[in-house]
Amino acid sequence: MRGNKFFVALGVGVLAVCAACSTAEPQTQAPPPQIPKITPSTIPSRVPVMVDRALPDDCELVVSVEVMNATLGQELPGEPRIIIGIKEPGIGRTGKIDCYYGIPPKKNLPEAKIVIGLSTYNDDLTARTRVAESVEAERAEGAKITEVDVGKQKGTLVEGKDEQLVIGSLGKSTFVVRNRNNFLPKEKLIAVLPVLAAQSMTPPV
């Protein structure tokens, strides 16, 4: 290392001390390795949550194709098709839509793999009542009934002979996700249907 250097020379009774004649220059050292600094984002993130939402007019706003395929772990054929239902004042229903996913080319609605239906009613009690009546009707037909988590809500898994579904309500709205034509095996029902149900009640962020 360069710097001030001192040399001591011993002669006969003489001690000579000589300082270096050149001005010392600090040695350039390699900078210490830079440690990446992770700065938390100051932009607030929006966590999707289920809400008592107005009925969408597009299946992409119910469950997008991207989310559907990611949840299923495979790509469904065709494009989603929407059917807009009518109001039924007699049962307190104010609106209804059904989205059909996985319809093969040149096939019709009955060939869909997954069907998601959303309905709105006059009030919360009417919505809950409609769900309860539907569940009891399925039970009477011999379906297996199981309570499941749908997001932070509760829903009901109905395992019937011809189809399996998750149904529930949130506020004035009801949701139902149907597994058609035995598309999903039994062991995947709880892993998939409640996830799609929660997404159907979650507006895009």
Side-chain angles (χ1 to χ4, degrees), residues 81 100-104 107-115 163 180-181:
R81 300 185 195 175
Y100 295 76
Y101 297 83
I103 303 174
K107 298 293 183 179
N108 296 316
L109 299 181
E111 301 298 321
K113 305 297 187 292
I114 300 289
V115 181
E163 68 174 7
R180 300 287 294 275
N181 302 306

Side-chain angles (χ1 to χ4, degrees), residues 9-197:
L10 295 177
V12 180
V14 179
L15 178 63
V17 179
C18 177
C21 299
S22 61
T23 303
E25 296 180 359
Q27 182 178 4
T28 302
Q29 297 183 357
Q34 297 295 317
I35 300 176
K37 183 178 180 181
I38 301 176
T39 304
S41 174
T42 56
I43 301 175
S45 59
R46 296 178 59 189
V47 179
V49 295
M50 295 175 64
V51 298
D52 184 5
R53 63 187 302 199
L55 290 180
D57 58 2
D58 190 323
C59 291
E60 280 291 303
L61 301 176
V62 177
V63 174
S64 68
V65 171
E66 180 182 7
V67 170
M68 176 65 72
N69 291 339
T71 303
L72 296 175
Q74 62 179 290
E75 186 173 340
L76 289 182
E79 295 295 328
R81 300 185 195 175
I82 188 170
I83 299 296
I84 300 176
I86 61 173
K87 299 178 181 180
E88 290 193 41
I91 60 173
R93 191 170 73 194
T94 58
K96 184 179 189 299
I97 62 169
D98 289 297
C99 288
Y100 295 76
Y101 297 83
I103 303 174
K106 299 182 181 180
K107 298 293 183 179
N108 296 316
L109 299 181
E111 301 298 321
K113 305 297 187 292
I114 300 289
V115 181
I116 300 178
L118 302 179
S119 298
T120 54
Y121 291 87
N122 290 329
D123 50 51
D124 298 16
L125 177 59
T126 303
R128 291 196 305 269
T129 300
R130 293 299 300 171
V131 168
E133 290 174 348
S134 296
V135 170
E136 288 308 311
E138 293 285 353
R139 193 196 306 271
E141 292 292 328
K144 178 183 177 182
I145 307 299
T146 308
E147 185 179 76
V148 294
D149 291 325
V150 177
K152 295 184 178 181
Q153 313 295 321
K154 292 295 182 181
T156 302
L157 172 64
V158 178
E159 298 177 71
K161 181 179 66 174
D162 299 322
E163 68 174 7
Q164 301 77 43
L165 56 95
V166 164
I167 187 172
S169 67
L170 178 58
K172 299 178 182 179
S173 301
T174 64
F175 54 84
V176 58
V177 180
R178 302 177 186 274
N179 176 47
R180 300 287 294 275
N181 302 306
N182 296 313
F183 170 63
L184 291 173
K186 181 178 180 179
E187 59 270 17
K188 289 189 175 182
L189 294 176
I190 293 182
V192 173
L193 297 186
V195 174
L196 295 177

